[in-house]
């Protein structure tokens, strides 16, 4: 019997509570040219203000702020497992100072970055104006070039660990994945659910990493809204992306000529007064 009560609750974990001794066996260790962009970059974050003033920055003091981020020239990915992330504390992953410094496989002879175990990006969002705000947050797949030589694509094996913390001392996150292909059953229920394992299946269920939260649909990974983002309020976001080699989709022939392009859109408004 597997306790799936957390599927009915807010899916948040504290990184400090995750303990694992998984060593990880790769089913197909290979490199993919993914998150390859030409026009808007591999990964973009855009902020649109409507009568309010929000800003993004990797500096908590907001000495350098922006409303648009575009990241280019990322190395290709390697298929590595969830266990790779557990070599880092949540306070390290969920920190802008580690942007571009972790998750890379580097050639020791040339010091060249040859591939990514995972990609992460941390930024702060702040209400720098003089009006209380609300905003809508949407994280989407905006381009998905599917391979022609296999029947799955990168979004099938993509994992998204999403940190959203207004208390800057906390490092809570939710892990998202595309809806799976294997039916699972909660104890006492005849209705299946199709959440994907964050790491890997053990028999008919998942290992201790548990189930991921499903993407909202084929193109939207997640979306949410926040009201009462008051003057001076700050939220820290970290997006962590990796391709899961233990995913049961990830077997057989290596896919070729495939990539994803991802974008976050934040649209801000004046806060709605609730009576």
């Amino acid at each position: 019997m597997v306790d799936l009560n957390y599927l009915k609750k807010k899916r948040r974990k504290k990184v400090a509570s995750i303990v694992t001794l998984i060593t990880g066996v790769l089913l197909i260790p290979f490199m993919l040219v993914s998150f390859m962009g030409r026009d808007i970059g591999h990964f973009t974050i855009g902020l649109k203000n409507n009568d309010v003033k929000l800003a993004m920055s990797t500096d908590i003091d907001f000495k350098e702020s922006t409303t648009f981020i575009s990241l280019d020239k990322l190395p290709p990915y390697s298929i590595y497992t969830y266990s790779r992330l557990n070599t880092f504390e949540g306070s390290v992953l969920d920190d802008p100072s580690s942007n571009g410094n972790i998750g890379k496989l580097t050639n020791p002879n040339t010091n060249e970055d040859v591939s990514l175990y995972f990609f992460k990006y941390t930024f702060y969002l702040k209400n720098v104006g003089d009006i209380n705000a609300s905003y809508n947050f949407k994280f989407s797949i905006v381009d998905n070039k599917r391979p022609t030589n296999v029947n799955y694509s990168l979004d099938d094996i993509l994992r998204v660990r999403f940190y959203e913390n207004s208390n800057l001392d906390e490092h809570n996150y939710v892990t998202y994945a595309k809806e799976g292909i294997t039916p699972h059953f909660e104890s006492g229920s005849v209705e299946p659910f199709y959440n994907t394992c964050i790491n890997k299946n053990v028999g008919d269920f998942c290992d201790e990493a548990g189930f991921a939260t499903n993407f909202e649909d084929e193109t939207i990974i997640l979306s949410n809204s926040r009201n009462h983002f008051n003057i001076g309020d700050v939220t820290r976001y970290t997006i962590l992306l990796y391709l899961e080699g233990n995913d049961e989709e990830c077997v057989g022939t290596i896919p070729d000529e495939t990539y994803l392009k991802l974008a976050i859109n934040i649209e801000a408004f004046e806060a709605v007064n609730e009576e």
Side-chain angles (χ1 to χ4, degrees), residues 122-139:
T122 302
F123 66 96
Y124 298 100
L125 181 68
K126 183 177 182 178
N127 186 343
V128 296
D130 55 7
I131 299 174
N132 292 339
S134 62
Y135 63 87
N136 299 325
F137 186 106
K138 185 169 69 172
F139 187 14

Side-chain angles (χ1 to χ4, degrees), residues 1-267:
M1 187 172 76
V2 175
D3 183 4
L4 299 176
N5 287 335
Y6 67 94
L7 288 174
K8 299 177 181 178
K9 300 176 183 177
K10 253 185 163 178
R11 295 178 173 92
R12 291 189 176 273
K13 303 178 189 177
K14 289 199 174 180
V15 175
S17 68
I18 303 299
V19 179
T20 180
L21 296 177
I22 300 171
T23 57
V25 177
L26 310 185
L27 298 183
I28 47 172
F30 64 95
M31 297 179 185
L32 296 176
V33 179
S34 57
F35 301 96
M36 179 179 70
R38 295 182 179 84
D39 300 321
I40 62 171
H42 308 161
F43 178 65
T44 59
I45 307 171
L47 170 62
K48 179 180 179 182
N49 288 316
N50 297 280
D51 301 322
V52 295
K53 190 175 181 182
L54 272 57
M56 299 182 294
S57 179
T58 56
D59 178 359
I60 187 61
D61 296 323
F62 279 76
K63 294 177 181 176
E64 295 186 12
S65 62
T66 185
T67 58
F68 185 75
I69 299 166
S70 182
L71 304 175
D72 291 313
K73 298 180 181 178
L74 298 183
Y77 270 67
S78 293
I79 297 282
Y80 274 81
T81 62
Y82 165 85
S83 57
R84 181 74 188 183
L85 302 179
N86 295 324
T87 61
F88 299 96
E89 295 290 335
S91 58
V92 174
L93 291 169
D94 190 23
D95 190 313
S97 66
S98 62
N99 286 353
N101 298 323
I102 60 176
K104 296 178 180 179
L105 174 62
T106 303
N107 185 325
N109 298 320
T110 64
N111 207 33
E112 177 187 6
D113 296 328
V114 294
S115 67
L116 291 172
Y117 297 119
F118 60 86
F119 166 78
K120 61 81 64 180
Y121 192 79
T122 302
F123 66 96
Y124 298 100
L125 181 68
K126 183 177 182 178
N127 186 343
V128 296
D130 55 7
I131 299 174
N132 292 339
S134 62
Y135 63 87
N136 299 325
F137 186 106
K138 185 169 69 172
F139 187 14
S140 304
I141 299 171
V142 295
D143 193 3
N144 184 4
K145 186 177 187 303
R146 298 177 181 274
T148 58
N149 64 328
V150 295
N151 60 5
Y152 74 90
S153 57
L154 296 184
D155 61 325
D156 292 313
I157 58 176
L158 176 68
R159 300 291 185 272
V160 177
R161 183 184 284 189
F162 177 68
Y163 294 78
E164 180 182 31
N165 290 281
S166 296
N167 181 339
L168 301 185
D169 292 326
E170 295 183 347
H171 304 285
N172 301 320
Y173 68 87
V174 180
T175 299
Y176 292 83
K178 189 175 178 180
E179 184 175 88
I181 59 175
T182 302
H184 300 281
F185 296 86
E186 189 173 358
S187 178
S189 174
V190 296
E191 292 295 325
F193 63 92
Y194 290 87
N195 296 68
T196 300
C197 291
I198 292 174
N199 183 33
K200 59 185 176 182
N201 288 69
V202 177
D204 294 330
F205 299 99
C206 297
D207 69 357
E208 62 266 36
F211 290 98
T213 299
N214 287 340
F215 292 169
E216 285 192 19
D217 57 33
E218 289 292 316
T219 60
I220 299 176
I221 294 171
L222 66 99
S223 64
N224 57 43
S225 299
R226 178 172 177 183
N227 197 19
H228 302 300
F229 193 57
N230 297 332
I231 299 167
D233 282 356
V234 177
T235 296
R236 185 183 59 244
Y237 287 99
T238 291
I239 311 299
L240 194 152
L241 311 167
Y242 63 103
L243 302 177
E244 181 49 67
N246 278 323
D247 194 308
E248 56 193 9
E249 295 268 22
C250 185
V251 295
T253 305
I254 298 172
D256 59 10
E257 297 182 5
T258 178
Y259 63 82
L260 293 172
K261 291 167 75 172
L262 306 178
I264 290 173
N265 293 292
I266 303 169
E267 188 164 9

